[in-house]
Amino acid sequence: IINNKEYELSRNCRYYYNRTIINEQINKLKELSSVTDIYYAVKANFNKEIIKYLIEKNIGLETVSLEEIELILSIVDTYELEVFVNIIYTPNFADLNDYESIFKIKRKNVSIIVILDNLDILKDYEIFNGKRIGIRLDLN
Protein backbone atom coordinates (compact mmCIF):
# COMPACT_ATOMS: atom_id res chain seq x y z
CA ILE A 1 0.00 0.00 0.00
CA ILE A 2 1.41 3.36 -1.07
CA ASN A 3 -0.31 6.60 -0.04
CA ASN A 4 -3.37 4.63 1.05
CA LYS A 5 -3.71 3.13 -2.43
CA GLU A 6 -3.12 -0.52 -3.24
CA TYR A 7 -1.06 -1.16 -6.33
CA GLU A 8 -1.06 -4.31 -8.36
CA LEU A 9 2.62 -4.93 -9.09
CA SER A 10 2.02 -6.87 -12.28
CA ARG A 11 0.52 -3.74 -13.87
CA ASN A 12 2.75 -1.05 -12.45
CA CYS A 13 6.17 -2.62 -12.01
CA ARG A 14 8.64 -2.03 -14.84
CA TYR A 15 12.29 -2.83 -15.27
CA TYR A 16 14.62 -0.71 -17.36
CA TYR A 17 18.01 -1.95 -18.49
CA ASN A 18 20.81 0.19 -19.81
CA ARG A 19 23.02 -1.52 -22.39
CA THR A 20 25.72 1.07 -21.85
CA ILE A 21 26.01 0.10 -18.20
CA ILE A 22 25.86 -3.62 -19.03
CA ASN A 23 28.62 -3.10 -21.60
CA GLU A 24 30.75 -1.12 -19.13
CA GLN A 25 30.49 -3.96 -16.60
CA ILE A 26 31.41 -6.54 -19.23
CA ASN A 27 34.42 -4.47 -20.29
CA LYS A 28 35.59 -4.11 -16.67
CA LEU A 29 35.56 -7.89 -16.31
CA LYS A 30 37.27 -8.46 -19.66
CA GLU A 31 40.06 -6.04 -18.69
CA LEU A 32 41.03 -8.18 -15.68
CA SER A 33 44.12 -10.18 -16.60
CA SER A 34 43.17 -12.95 -14.16
CA VAL A 35 39.81 -13.60 -15.85
CA THR A 36 39.74 -15.89 -18.86
CA ASP A 37 36.04 -16.69 -19.12
CA ILE A 38 32.94 -14.82 -18.00
CA TYR A 39 29.64 -16.56 -17.30
CA TYR A 40 26.32 -14.93 -16.56
CA ALA A 41 23.94 -16.74 -14.17
CA VAL A 42 20.76 -17.04 -16.20
CA LYS A 43 18.70 -17.56 -13.03
CA ALA A 44 19.47 -13.92 -12.16
CA ASN A 45 17.40 -12.59 -15.06
CA PHE A 46 15.42 -14.37 -17.79
CA ASN A 47 15.09 -11.31 -20.03
CA LYS A 48 15.54 -12.65 -23.55
CA GLU A 49 17.00 -9.41 -24.92
CA ILE A 50 19.64 -9.31 -22.19
CA ILE A 51 20.56 -12.96 -22.73
CA LYS A 52 20.77 -12.35 -26.49
CA TYR A 53 22.97 -9.30 -25.90
CA LEU A 54 25.29 -11.26 -23.58
CA ILE A 55 25.59 -14.07 -26.15
CA GLU A 56 26.51 -11.50 -28.80
CA LYS A 57 29.17 -10.10 -26.44
CA ASN A 58 30.70 -13.59 -26.09
CA ILE A 59 29.63 -14.00 -22.46
CA GLY A 60 29.07 -17.58 -21.36
CA LEU A 61 25.87 -18.62 -19.64
CA GLU A 62 25.66 -20.55 -16.38
CA THR A 63 22.47 -22.56 -15.96
CA VAL A 64 20.96 -24.63 -13.18
CA SER A 65 18.05 -26.26 -15.03
CA LEU A 66 17.15 -27.89 -18.30
CA GLU A 67 14.51 -25.18 -18.76
CA GLU A 68 17.19 -22.48 -18.72
CA ILE A 69 19.13 -24.33 -21.41
CA GLU A 70 15.94 -24.66 -23.47
CA LEU A 71 15.37 -20.90 -23.08
CA ILE A 72 18.88 -20.18 -24.37
CA LEU A 73 18.39 -22.51 -27.34
CA SER A 74 15.08 -20.83 -28.16
CA ILE A 75 16.82 -17.44 -28.12
CA VAL A 76 19.54 -18.75 -30.43
CA ASP A 77 16.87 -20.11 -32.79
CA THR A 78 14.48 -17.13 -32.61
CA TYR A 79 17.19 -14.59 -33.38
CA GLU A 80 19.08 -16.96 -35.69
CA LEU A 81 22.29 -16.28 -33.79
CA GLU A 82 25.39 -17.55 -35.54
CA VAL A 83 27.81 -16.80 -32.69
CA PHE A 84 29.25 -19.53 -30.50
CA VAL A 85 27.44 -20.05 -27.18
CA ASN A 86 29.23 -21.45 -24.11
CA ILE A 87 26.91 -22.92 -21.50
CA ILE A 88 27.78 -24.53 -18.21
CA TYR A 89 25.15 -26.57 -16.41
CA THR A 90 25.62 -26.56 -12.64
CA PRO A 91 22.52 -28.07 -11.04
CA ASN A 92 22.15 -28.54 -7.33
CA PHE A 93 19.88 -31.51 -7.90
CA ALA A 94 19.19 -32.99 -11.31
CA ASP A 95 17.23 -35.91 -12.60
CA LEU A 96 19.18 -38.37 -14.74
CA ASN A 97 16.71 -37.65 -17.54
CA ASP A 98 17.85 -34.02 -17.51
CA TYR A 99 21.46 -35.09 -18.00
CA GLU A 100 20.44 -37.44 -20.81
CA SER A 101 18.47 -34.65 -22.50
CA ILE A 102 21.42 -32.28 -22.27
CA PHE A 103 23.83 -34.85 -23.68
CA LYS A 104 21.49 -35.29 -26.69
CA ILE A 105 21.70 -31.60 -27.60
CA LYS A 106 23.88 -31.32 -30.68
CA ARG A 107 24.37 -27.81 -32.05
CA LYS A 108 27.31 -26.65 -34.13
CA ASN A 109 27.50 -23.32 -32.31
CA VAL A 110 26.59 -24.43 -28.77
CA SER A 111 28.88 -26.01 -26.18
CA ILE A 112 27.37 -27.35 -22.95
CA ILE A 113 29.60 -28.52 -20.14
CA VAL A 114 27.91 -30.39 -17.32
CA ILE A 115 29.40 -29.65 -13.91
CA LEU A 116 29.02 -32.38 -11.26
CA ASP A 117 29.66 -32.10 -7.56
CA ASN A 118 29.25 -35.75 -6.74
CA LEU A 119 31.85 -38.28 -7.85
CA ASP A 120 29.61 -41.19 -6.90
CA ILE A 121 27.22 -40.32 -9.72
CA LEU A 122 30.09 -40.89 -12.15
CA LYS A 123 30.69 -44.34 -10.71
CA ASP A 124 27.03 -45.33 -10.56
CA TYR A 125 25.74 -44.21 -13.96
CA GLU A 126 27.17 -44.90 -17.41
CA ILE A 127 25.48 -41.90 -19.05
CA PHE A 128 28.54 -39.81 -18.14
CA ASN A 129 31.03 -42.10 -19.89
CA GLY A 130 32.83 -40.27 -22.66
CA LYS A 131 30.98 -37.01 -22.02
CA ARG A 132 32.49 -33.59 -21.51
CA ILE A 133 31.98 -32.78 -17.83
CA GLY A 134 33.56 -30.75 -15.09
CA ILE A 135 33.84 -31.44 -11.38
CA ARG A 136 33.02 -28.88 -8.71
CA LEU A 137 35.22 -29.50 -5.68
CA ASP A 138 34.14 -28.96 -2.11
CA LEU A 139 37.36 -28.69 -0.11
CA ASN A 140 35.62 -29.19 3.20
Side-chain angles (χ1 to χ4, degrees):
I1 299 177
I2 300 173
N3 294 331
N4 295 323
K5 185 173 182 183
E6 255 185 71
Y7 284 90
E8 196 174 319
L9 289 179
S10 62
R11 289 188 193 158
N12 297 310
C13 189
R14 300 287 185 261
Y15 295 92
Y16 295 92
Y17 303 102
N18 186 319
R19 284 189 182 187
T20 302
I21 293 171
I22 293 170
N23 210 34
E24 287 172 0
Q25 296 300 92
I26 289 170
N27 288 336
K28 284 180 188 177
L29 290 170
K30 286 184 174 183
E31 289 172 3
L32 297 172
S33 61
S34 58
V35 173
T36 58
D37 297 305
I38 302 168
Y39 287 86
Y40 174 76
V42 173
K43 68 183 174 186
N45 190 324
F46 291 91
N47 182 297
K48 291 179 181 182
E49 288 294 324
I50 289 177
I51 294 171
K52 174 185 173 277
Y53 186 72
L54 294 171
I55 291 171
E56 291 171 336
K57 290 292 186 180
N58 198 30
I59 301 299
L61 302 167
E62 185 262 343
T63 62
V64 295
S65 70
L66 179 58
E67 291 77 16
E68 289 176 351
I69 293 173
E70 291 168 346
L71 172 67
I72 294 165
L73 296 177
S74 75
I75 292 168
V76 169
D77 292 343
T78 300
Y79 295 102
E80 299 177 354
L81 300 178
E82 296 292 329
V83 296
F84 195 79
V85 183
N86 280 308
I87 301 171
I88 55 174
Y89 175 62
T90 60
N92 290 325
F93 303 99
D95 186 278
L96 286 177
N97 293 327
D98 288 351
Y99 291 116
E100 288 175 343
S101 295
I102 290 166
F103 289 141
K104 289 179 183 175
I105 296 170
K106 305 291 184 212
R107 300 283 189 101
K108 67 177 182 169
N109 63 330
V110 175
S111 169
I112 303 173
I113 299 175
V114 172
I115 306 295
L116 299 174
D117 60 3
N118 180 344
L119 293 178
D120 290 333
I121 197 170
L122 290 173
K123 297 174 191 172
D124 295 341
Y125 300 99
E126 292 183 11
I127 64 168
F128 299 101
N129 291 349
K131 302 297 189 280
R132 187 171 182 209
I133 60 168
I135 303 294
R136 179 174 45 214
L137 294 177
D138 180 354
L139 301 178
N140 195 5

